[in-house]
Amino acid sequence: MRQAKLNLVPHRWRTSPPNILQSLLAVQAHLGYVPTDVAPEMARALQVTEADVAGVLSFYPDLHLRQAGRHRVRVCVGESCVANHGSRVLTALAEELRIGLGATTPDKRFTLERVYCVGNCAVSPTVVIDDQVHGRVTPSDIPTLLSPYK
Amino acid sequence: MTTRLYISNDTSARAARADRLAEAWEGDARVELVRTSSRGAFFLEPLVEREGPEGRLAWPLARREDLTRILAGEGGVAIGKIPFLAQQHRITFADFGQAAPLSLADFRAHGGWSGLHRALSLDPQEIIDELNISRLRGRGGAAFPVWRKWQVAKDQPSGVKYVVANADEGDAGTYCDRMIMEGEPFRLIEGMLICGRAIGADLGYVYCRHEYPTAFHTIREAVALAQAAGMLDQDGRHFQLDIVQGAGSYVCGEETALLESLEGRRGEVRAKPPYPAIAGLNCRPTIVSNVLTFATVPSILAKGGEWYAAHGTETSRGTVVLQLGGRVKQPGLVEIPFGATLEEVLHRFGGGMAPGARFKAIQVGGPLGSLFSESHLGIRLCYEAFADAGAILGHGGIVVYDEETDMVELARHYMAFVADESCGKCTPCRIGSVRGREILERIQTGQGRAGDLVLLRDLGETMKATSLCALGGRAPYPVLTAIEQFPNEFRKK
């Protein structure tokens, strides 16, 4: 099983020195997150220290250490969304899902997160569900917005 | 008879539900759909266009039921008569909204590759001389003269050199790099090829932020298409171009942190010198430039440095690409010559405030940019005026805040952002941003102490003077300008 995870790292990143970030992203692309037991295995396979791998893993916000729900709901907190009172959208989402930031609903349907700008500032406030960007979102849009995601 | 309709495929057009129109009309035998780049007039999206007797006709904020009217040609506005677009002076974004982003034929038909062809007729030094004449400065934020950087890299002994496009457009309120990668990716490739020829580099990377999945896939596909068409092989040399994704770190937009990240490590800032043009990626000479900078180069080569330098002001030549956002009535992309005032831009292009909103403050240059109140809107948008005011144009982001905005909360938001994103390498930024956030949280909860504002100012001055990079060095600006211009909000808490 462990070996299988490391087989997900393409040859192009197993250089000397190796590209740790891209190796971790490759694992995440397949599994959706980076399981904690990957770090020591990867360190051995790439011939770097465990601290090197753990350091990269903890530095980047988009490397996830836990499995998220089936759908990742990200609310933009960039300045244009802040100016357009996106915080009200975040509050409405937290109320609708009954979870706080970083949490996953008990049915594992949604994980609620924030994102710092997706470049959708001209049609803000923005909510991103998986890779789908939704613009001009108001608190009253939330139920309709979530309903297609099962 | 089928009618060809154009609908943008840009992320923001889709976020404004352009996809719903496309899905609804796709099977209609009367319609041939073309998905294009975006004109950047996002307040009009979803915008549907078709050919008219004198250029394109447009139907702004189109709905599904408008199809019959559109096919009958009823009610369309001529694109050239939309003031937001007509009053711009576009160079880099001139063709946006017209073509299919991944069509090499469309790109060529709009003058694509003509900058590269000119560059191929010049020797490397002549290319750099042309950029010197154009007086182009880097558009990512630092505004360093482009030719000088290229000259340093070119003058290094030959061997492995790199061209790196910084596509980590992290400043909130900016989206022009995303539009380029999604809308005219070949233009970025063209600029990078010209740079490669000028400095003698055969290897290139685009470091694209994780938050831009569509841009990432589009530019990757564009590279594959350009390669298949032989465009990466020029003059007997092959230019290898790879697209690499980041992982959500803001500081990786700083050039040395970007290089660390590209090498697969933590995105920690490097001390300079040596500058990347001498020792960058894998310690080799490297040009790191913003996407917009590379995308500006082809027009300069095609039409000449003098032509480009004829636009703008004394030390800010050419056009500035502004991105309007926040509580403005007409958010979108504005490309005009440097030199207009902030007020003109806000009214002529922004159309004033969004309905029901009253102006409070405007921020220029992303999360590290200064805030301006109403009395400061006369400032001209050019490097010299912003430098005189101790502000930055940055990457051209402009965010407008309305009077409901709580300035103490906004200041806390900025400091908390820097505390989150600091790479941790230097103490003033790592510790200073956390202390700054703590002081602001104290003020916010009514526990502010006498001298807190003085302490914040002292802390800010220390961070400005001693931080290793612009993240720590610029972090105090939005906070201190908020205190300076809205002192009562901070005192009464």
Side-chain angles (χ1 to χ4, degrees):
Chain A
M1 175 63 192
R2 282 177 171 180
Q3 203 52 45
K5 280 174 202 156
L6 289 166
N7 287 342
L8 302 172
V9 178
H11 191 71
R12 66 185 285 220
W13 305 124
R14 298 171 181 241
T15 43
S16 179
N19 193 309
I20 301 170
L21 171 59
Q22 295 304 323
S23 300
L24 290 167
L25 280 171
V27 170
Q28 180 166 281
H30 284 85
L31 305 176
Y33 72 114
V34 183
T36 39
D37 61 351
V38 161
E41 282 298 313
M42 185 176 280
R44 231 171 323 210
L46 299 180
Q47 294 185 303
V48 293
T49 68
E50 213 172 299
D52 287 333
V53 179
V56 173
L57 195 50
S58 63
F59 185 86
Y60 292 95
D62 284 347
L63 286 173
H64 305 291
L65 299 171
R66 271 179 309 204
Q67 191 153 24
R70 292 193 294 285
H71 305 286
R72 209 181 273 281
V73 180
R74 291 177 295 163
V75 182
C76 182
V77 291
E79 274 78 47
S80 184
C81 289
V82 167
N84 278 308
H85 309 298
S87 57
R88 293 171 195 165
V89 175
L90 179 56
T91 308
L93 262 167
E95 276 169 15
E96 177 77 22
L97 298 174
R98 298 179 187 188
I99 51 172
L101 270 178
T104 300
T105 53
D107 62 0
K108 307 270 184 252
R109 190 173 161 209
F110 293 113
T111 298
L112 183 61
E113 294 173 343
R114 58 182 183 175
V115 61
Y116 192 79
C117 196
V118 296
N120 191 45
C121 323
V123 291
S124 51
T126 299
V127 173
V128 186
I129 306 180
D130 300 333
D131 268 351
Q132 188 83 40
V133 181
H134 301 271
R136 297 175 191 146
V137 179
T138 62
S140 59
D141 295 336
I142 300 297
T144 333
L145 205 61
L146 295 177
S147 66
Y149 300 91
K150 299 300 169 197
Chain B
M1 199 187 82
T2 60
T3 304
R4 186 178 291 173
L5 301 182
Y6 302 89
I7 300 178
S8 168
N9 202 32
D10 180 276
T11 290
S12 282
R14 284 187 285 119
R17 304 180 178 189
D19 271 355
R20 292 214 185 156
L21 300 182
E23 279 160 25
W25 301 345
E26 214 150 32
D28 198 305
R30 299 167 296 171
V31 176
E32 182 203 337
L33 278 182
V34 179
R35 300 303 296 268
T36 65
S37 49
S38 171
R39 295 197 183 263
F42 290 111
F43 63 102
L44 301 177
E45 293 285 2
L47 182 70
V48 179
E49 298 181 23
R50 59 174 286 185
E51 301 296 347
E54 292 165 50
R56 295 263 182 95
L57 286 171
W59 281 262
L61 298 171
R63 293 165 305 172
R64 288 162 103 162
E65 54 272 29
D66 293 333
L67 183 60
T68 322
R69 277 189 333 121
I70 295 170
L71 292 175
E74 287 169 20
V77 221
I79 276 288
K81 294 213 169 115
I82 296 173
F84 179 86
L85 294 169
Q87 295 181 64
Q88 298 194 30
H89 186 105
R90 288 193 172 184
I91 294 175
T92 306
F93 286 85
D95 299 320
F96 273 64
Q98 298 180 53
L102 287 171
S103 162
L104 276 162
D106 277 4
F107 184 60
R108 196 167 277 127
H110 284 101
W113 309 123
S114 54
L116 178 63
H117 286 306
R118 169 89 199 294
L120 290 168
S121 73
L122 303 175
D123 67 37
Q125 189 56 49
E126 289 172 324
I127 297 174
I128 293 174
D129 291 344
E130 196 71 65
L131 283 174
N132 187 2
I133 294 167
S134 79
R135 295 172 69 180
L136 174 68
R137 296 167 66 169
R139 298 288 190 244
F144 191 77
V146 173
W147 75 272
R148 202 177 291 166
K149 197 147 91 173
W150 289 25
Q151 186 74 60
V152 171
K154 177 192 169 288
D155 291 345
Q156 297 307 302
S158 59
V160 176
K161 296 181 185 179
Y162 297 98
V163 179
V164 175
N166 182 345
D168 194 57
E169 186 174 50
D171 280 0
T174 68
Y175 42 84
C176 68
D177 293 348
R178 181 186 61 67
M179 284 178 66
I180 291 167
M181 288 186 284
E182 290 183 10
E184 217 172 88
F186 298 122
R187 179 177 269 274
L188 168 61
I189 296 170
E190 186 179 359
M192 293 181 76
L193 287 168
I194 294 169
C195 180
R197 179 173 170 84
I199 68 163
D202 298 323
L203 294 164
Y205 289 95
V206 176
Y207 181 92
C208 182
R209 65 197 295 252
H210 200 244
E211 294 85 343
Y212 283 181
T214 307
F216 174 74
H217 291 297
T218 312
I219 185 74
R220 204 166 57 167
E221 184 144 6
V223 169
L225 289 168
Q227 177 151 340
M231 292 312 297
L232 304 188
D233 298 282
Q234 302 289 346
D235 242 9
R237 294 177 77 158
H238 177 70
F239 188 80
Q240 188 187 321
L241 185 49
D242 277 337
I243 317 298
V244 172
Q245 215 163 11
S249 163
Y250 174 77
V251 76
C252 289
E254 196 282 335
E255 59 178 359
T256 61
L258 185 149
L259 294 171
E260 286 290 313
S261 183
L262 202 48
E263 292 177 20
R265 289 190 290 273
R266 291 164 67 87
E268 285 180 4
V269 171
R270 296 177 187 169
K272 292 188 275 194
Y275 289 91
I278 292 170
L281 187 63
N282 303 323
C283 280
R284 302 297 311 169
T286 305
I287 292 298
V288 185
S289 276
N290 173 255
V291 168
L292 176 61
T293 309
F294 283 120
T296 308
V297 168
S299 302
I300 292 172
L301 266 295
K303 296 183 179 171
E306 272 180 44
W307 164 82
Y308 190 76
H311 303 85
T313 67
E314 180 50 34
T315 61
S316 314
R317 301 302 177 104
T319 53
V320 59
V321 175
L322 303 167
Q323 297 125 84
L324 303 183
R327 292 290 278 159
V328 71
K329 192 174 170 194
Q330 303 185 155
L333 179 121
V334 175
E335 183 180 1
I336 48 173
F338 282 98
T341 67
L342 203 44
E343 187 158 30
E344 278 174 284
V345 169
L346 198 55
H347 290 103
R348 264 174 60 200
F349 298 101
M353 295 297 288
R358 280 183 58 192
F359 181 91
K360 182 160 191 178
I362 190 166
Q363 186 179 29
V364 183
L368 308 176
S370 303
L371 285 160
F372 298 87
S373 62
E374 198 140 29
S375 56
H376 294 79
L377 295 181
I379 189 167
R380 295 172 77 210
L381 289 152
C382 55
Y383 297 125
E384 54 271 36
F386 270 66
D388 288 348
I392 47 161
L393 272 177
H395 189 45
I398 295 183
V399 175
V400 179
Y401 294 96
D402 68 17
E403 68 171 1
E404 286 181 53
T405 310
D406 175 343
M407 298 319 272
V408 179
E409 164 52 21
L410 193 60
R412 189 209 59 82
H413 166 87
Y414 293 131
M415 260 310 167
F417 169 70
V418 175
D420 275 353
E421 298 293 340
S422 174
C423 81
K425 177 114 169 186
C426 74
T427 315
C429 176
R430 184 182 68 243
I431 308 284
S433 57
V434 174
R435 293 288 171 266
R437 189 195 64 203
E438 288 167 354
I439 298 169
L440 286 159
E441 280 170 352
R442 204 153 70 205
I443 296 173
Q444 196 174 28
T445 52
Q447 325 244 299
R449 304 171 192 159
D452 266 353
L453 294 183
V454 177
L455 186 58
L456 263 180
R457 202 162 300 133
D458 277 357
L459 180 69
E461 293 308 324
T462 306
M463 287 176 75
K464 283 185 198 175
T466 56
S467 294
L468 201 50
C469 82
L471 180 59
R474 292 285 332 173
Y477 283 83
V479 176
L480 296 183
T481 48
I483 296 173
E484 202 176 289
Q485 299 186 33
F486 304 92
N488 292 338
E489 290 192 37
F490 288 83
R491 283 199 197 108
K492 77 181 175 207
K493 293 231 177 182

